[in-house]
Amino acid sequence: MSLSHPIYVTKSFFPPLKEYNHYLERIWKNEWLTNRGELTLELEKKLKEKLAVDTILITNNGTIPLQIALKILGNYGEIITTPFSYIATTSAIIWENCTPVFVDIDPDYLTIDELKIEAAITDKTTAILATHVFGNPCHVERIEEIAKKHNLHVIYDAAHCFGVNYKGQSIFNYGTVSTCSFHATKIFHTGEGGAIFCKDQKLYEKIFYSHNFGHNGPEDFHGLGINAKISELQSAMGLTVLNHFDSIFENRKRVVDFYTKNLKFERISKIKIRENTEWNYSYYPVIFESEEMLLTVLKTLNDNKIYPRRYFYPSLNKVNYVHGANMPISESVASRVLCLPLYKDLTDEEVLVIVNLINPLTC
């Protein structure tokens, strides 16, 4: 089979326009575009039910929840974090005038190595910011033990985790604060958006007013805040997409299962999903034996109009404005990992083309 069109690493899900217009008509009728309108409140209610969480605050993007959490909990201190994540994890730390302290990753799960965290703690440490990588949970129990022992906050970058359950409950229920991204490329999206989850009611109230300039009514202020509010147009997209989530999930699982069944794992490996996890099939990363092999495969795929992504690359300790210590495992994995195309409408025939291009180069 030859491809008649390019295949990219992902493709945003566009719900039927007629369904989206149904929600737009409600916006026009209400004449309410932002500031927590009817659709935003409805979306939050449905997401709480879908995810089985007690609190959720949806926001205008997925990075600002990290910034708000760090502004409130970081206290300008050292934040222990992972070098294997999207740049937003580290840049948010620096943006909020905190200092990232990197801890290397587990070579199988690709999450922060919980056995190395305590050695990085100093009297300046205020929080641990860990990423559930590709929707794969960190060792949340051990991280919680360490945090309690050293009186630290735990912030989880759970950008990839919509629909992930760990030990029978939403992964968003772990940590002091958990965040998610609803970016257009994610398994659930609002075009651009995100969310904050927090079980502590007093902290949630502080997060809530922080996301709306600190307002306490139109003429009073609780304290410092920023604008993190989502619009009704974004919420309308979220409500429409949510109606199709089960189909999106099942089709992504189909693609993942096809890759797993048909790729030859002789000189490549895949991520190990942590035990007791109900995964969401958010990404399909493969780790090559060498960077040279990755580059050969990448060129071959590109030459055939297939565009996977080196994600995450580079290891964040190597970013020019960070200057972190060497992280040998993260640096090695980052140089050899490639996320293959994965989205709802990707057909088995198209995935077979990808597999048949990769297998001869890795056996």
Side-chain angles (χ1 to χ4, degrees):
M1 176 185 175
S2 61
L3 298 173
S4 60
H5 56 276
I7 294 177
Y8 297 100
V9 66
T10 190
K11 181 180 178 182
S12 297
F13 172 73
F14 279 80
L17 187 58
K18 182 178 180 181
E19 294 180 24
Y20 185 52
N21 282 337
H22 165 74
Y23 290 105
L24 294 184
E25 288 170 2
R26 287 175 56 186
I27 296 173
W28 260 248
K29 179 180 178 181
N30 294 336
E31 295 186 339
W32 192 323
L33 282 170
T34 188
N35 289 337
R36 294 185 60 77
E38 179 181 285
L39 272 65
T40 296
L41 298 180
E42 181 178 334
L43 179 58
E44 285 186 344
K45 180 177 184 294
K46 288 187 174 182
L47 289 175
K48 283 199 289 186
E49 294 169 353
K50 179 72 176 177
L51 300 169
V53 295
D54 293 330
T55 61
I56 180 174
L57 178 65
I58 55 177
T59 58
N60 51 16
N61 64 59
T63 302
I64 206 161
L66 291 173
Q67 293 178 241
I68 290 172
L70 287 162
K71 176 66 72 177
I72 296 172
L73 304 175
N75 199 28
Y76 307 106
E78 293 179 351
I79 311 297
I80 291 175
T81 193
T82 174
F84 192 69
S85 183
Y86 183 56
I87 189 64
T89 311
T90 291
S91 63
I93 293 172
I94 297 171
W95 196 269
E96 295 303 330
N97 296 303
C98 297
T99 302
V101 176
F102 293 109
V103 168
D104 215 342
I105 62 172
D106 183 283
D108 296 321
Y109 299 115
L110 307 185
T111 53
I112 193 169
D113 188 339
E114 67 281 356
L115 300 178
K116 298 176 180 176
I117 290 176
E118 277 199 282
I121 295 173
T122 72
D123 59 0
K124 297 179 181 178
T125 306
T126 54
I128 300 167
L129 172 48
T131 298
H132 302 305
V133 177
F134 303 127
N136 195 27
C138 298
H139 195 312
V140 293
E141 297 93 346
R142 180 59 183 142
I143 291 174
E144 180 66 19
E145 290 173 3
I146 294 168
K148 286 183 177 180
K149 178 180 177 182
H150 296 276
N151 194 31
L152 301 175
H153 301 291
V154 179
I155 303 166
Y156 282 117
D157 182 340
H160 296 169
C161 289
F162 190 93
V164 173
N165 289 323
Y166 177 68
K167 291 193 173 179
Q169 64 173 314
S170 172
I171 195 66
F172 299 136
N173 284 329
Y174 293 90
T176 311
V177 171
S178 188
T179 72
C180 191
S181 171
F182 296 161
H183 185 265
T185 59
K186 296 298 188 285
I187 190 168
F188 166 79
H189 74 85
T190 56
E192 182 73 83
I196 310 176
F197 305 84
C198 175
K199 293 182 292 184
D200 182 274
Q201 189 59 36
K202 287 187 177 180
L203 178 57
Y204 174 81
E205 290 171 2
K206 190 170 186 179
I207 290 170
F208 184 89
Y209 73 69
S210 295
H211 104 293
N212 184 23
F213 297 108
H215 270 290
N216 177 26
E219 298 176 353
D220 192 15
F221 297 90
H222 287 285
L224 181 67
I226 198 169
N227 183 13
K229 301 186 305 298
I230 196 169
S231 76
E232 288 289 88
L233 298 170
Q234 292 168 284
S235 293
M237 178 60 73
L239 286 165
T240 315
V241 172
L242 190 60
N243 291 332
H244 295 268
F245 179 75
D246 290 344
S247 174
I248 295 169
F249 181 90
E250 288 302 320
N251 276 279
R252 294 178 75 97
K253 180 180 185 301
R254 169 186 55 79
V255 175
V256 165
D257 289 345
F258 194 99
Y259 276 132
T260 300
K261 180 180 179 180
N262 292 283
L263 281 169
K264 296 186 183 300
F265 293 95
E266 297 175 12
R267 299 171 66 191
I268 61 174
S269 60
K270 57 188 176 70
I271 192 171
K272 182 179 179 181
I273 302 301
R274 196 172 296 278
E275 298 81 357
N276 302 305
T277 299
E278 297 172 46
W279 192 45
N280 65 353
Y281 308 96
S282 51
Y283 294 85
Y284 200 89
V286 292
I287 304 169
F288 293 86
E289 187 176 78
S290 66
E291 185 173 20
E292 290 74 19
M293 181 183 289
L294 178 149
L295 293 173
T296 298
V297 170
L298 182 60
K299 183 179 185 306
T300 300
L301 292 173
N302 288 173
D303 288 346
N304 286 272
K305 299 189 294 186
I306 299 164
Y307 303 97
R309 183 177 177 186
R310 298 188 72 179
Y311 191 63
F312 305 108
Y313 179 80
S315 183
L316 295 179
N317 59 300
K318 292 297 185 180
V319 173
N320 59 8
Y321 58 77
V322 175
H323 307 297
N326 291 334
M327 296 284 128
I329 299 174
S330 177
E331 290 168 34
S332 175
V333 171
S335 72
R336 297 181 291 114
V337 67
L338 192 68
C339 280
L340 301 183
L342 173 56
Y343 48 88
K344 177 183 181 294
D345 298 327
L346 196 62
T347 68
D348 290 352
E349 291 76 17
E350 290 168 331
V351 180
L352 185 59
V353 172
I354 297 169
V355 167
N356 285 340
L357 289 169
I358 294 174
N359 280 343
L361 301 173
T362 60
C363 294

